[in-house]
Amino acid sequence: MCRIKTLCVRKYVVSHPVAAEGYPQPAYDGLTEIWFDSWTEHDAFFTSDNYLQKVQPDEKKFIDFSSVGIMVIEEKTVI
């Protein structure tokens, strides 16, 4: 179950594209992955006072939500 110290998040990854010869310019300036162990922890994170009062207001300062793409995924290891 989610505890306030862990904020319900198992893993938080931010990736920024780099220029690579032979590849097109990146469509985005970054990608963020937030990993949860369950939907319960996902919901607890996004409805927590910490997220709603601190994180969400700050996001509006640096995220253009009109260009954000959101995906819910399940990772499958192939190799």
Side-chain angles (χ1 to χ4, degrees):
M1 190 55 159
C2 172
R3 293 183 306 276
I4 193 66
K5 288 184 180 179
T6 63
L7 298 176
C8 314
V9 175
R10 178 165 42 107
K11 184 176 177 181
Y12 183 89
V13 179
V14 177
S15 301
H16 299 279
V18 295
E21 189 175 330
Y23 286 85
Q25 288 287 21
Y28 298 98
D29 62 358
L31 177 118
T32 301
E33 298 176 52
I34 307 175
W35 295 55
F36 303 95
D37 288 327
S38 68
W39 279 109
T40 300
E41 293 197 358
H42 167 277
D43 295 346
F45 174 77
F46 285 107
T47 59
S48 69
D49 288 342
N50 182 69
Y51 178 78
L52 295 173
Q53 295 173 12
K54 296 178 181 177
V55 178
Q56 191 177 47
D58 192 49
E59 290 174 335
K60 296 173 185 171
K61 298 176 187 174
F62 61 91
I63 298 174
D64 175 9
F65 285 98
S66 68
S67 68
V68 169
I70 297 174
M71 274 192 282
V72 175
I73 64 164
E74 182 176 305
E75 185 176 62
K76 300 283 186 192
T77 301
V78 177
I79 296 178

